[in-house]
Amino acid sequence: MKEHKITEWIPWSETCFGCNDGMNEGIGMRCGITEDGYVVGFCRTKTGHQGFPNTVHGGLVSAYLDEVLWHATRQEKPDTIAMTVEMTVRYFRPVDIGADIRVIAEPAEREGRHIYVNGYVLLSDNTVAATARIHYVTVRQNSERMHAEKERIKYTEALTDKEQVWF
């Protein structure tokens, strides 16, 4: 385990499934950037995420990963808007409903318009529940999707104390 410190919170949007923190809709993921270039996401799993009884649906686990790893595509170039092309997820442990989890995104690897990010889901005891490698492609600069994403209202949260995260 290594100690990492969050230096800033990433703005979130209520129109994003990953950010929205409604009772059942959305994940409610809040993400921060560490001093050494990792992105860390935090959320509490919800009843509406259930697959098997008291267990988060595997598709939602992959959505947790996609939400956080996407933010890693923007660390080197903050204006980057990228979309998922391919995702490989490996599941190791079930994630319980009501669990506080952390999702860790390693720094991104860039190859032209293609971006690759590795990450994992940690349970509260630091057990790895799932890992992923996601391939993203950047959206073309003058596309409607690019403009729509840049215009979306985003909310910022103050960093009250530099939070320490171990992973």
Side-chain angles (χ1 to χ4, degrees):
M1 290 288 169
K2 179 181 174 187
E3 181 179 310
H4 300 264
K5 291 187 181 183
I6 293 176
T7 56
E8 72 179 278
W9 291 110
I10 296 172
W12 59 276
S13 173
E14 63 191 22
T15 61
C16 171
F17 178 77
C19 301
N20 187 317
D21 200 16
M23 182 63 79
N24 286 312
E25 71 279 4
I27 293 172
M29 190 71 69
R30 293 295 178 266
C31 298
I33 303 167
T34 67
E35 62 191 355
D36 51 354
Y38 287 77
V39 175
V40 183
F42 302 91
C43 79
R44 176 170 287 154
T45 62
K46 300 178 183 182
T47 302
H49 299 174
Q50 186 166 251
F52 283 111
N54 200 39
T55 304
V56 175
H57 188 285
L60 268 290
V61 173
S62 68
Y64 301 157
L65 287 155
D66 194 24
E67 176 66 16
V68 177
L69 276 58
W70 178 83
H71 288 293
T73 67
R74 301 171 52 88
Q75 297 316 300
E76 184 180 315
K77 296 181 180 180
D79 284 345
T80 298
I81 305 296
M83 296 182 81
T84 307
V85 174
E86 181 178 19
M87 175 188 296
T88 302
V89 179
R90 295 198 60 178
Y91 300 92
F92 299 100
R93 301 278 185 274
V95 177
D96 292 336
I97 298 299
D100 290 317
I101 62 167
R102 285 174 289 151
V103 180
I104 312 302
E106 297 176 353
E109 305 162 22
R110 288 180 169 267
E111 294 177 14
R113 289 184 57 215
H114 299 269
I115 305 170
Y116 302 88
V117 184
N118 294 314
Y120 44 96
V121 175
L122 290 177
L123 302 175
S124 60
D125 66 356
N126 290 324
T127 300
V128 175
T131 62
R133 179 165 178 85
I134 305 180
H135 173 194
Y136 299 91
V137 67
T138 58
V139 174
R140 297 201 187 276
Q141 284 298 316
N142 292 317
S143 71
E144 286 184 36
R145 283 189 175 83
M146 172 69 83
H147 292 298
E149 176 61 24
K150 287 186 175 186
E151 295 298 317
R152 187 161 45 164
I153 296 172
K154 301 214 174 164
Y155 302 94
T156 58
E157 297 180 26
L159 190 63
T160 55
D161 192 12
K162 294 196 174 165
E163 188 161 351
Q164 294 179 16
V165 180
W166 290 269
F167 53 87

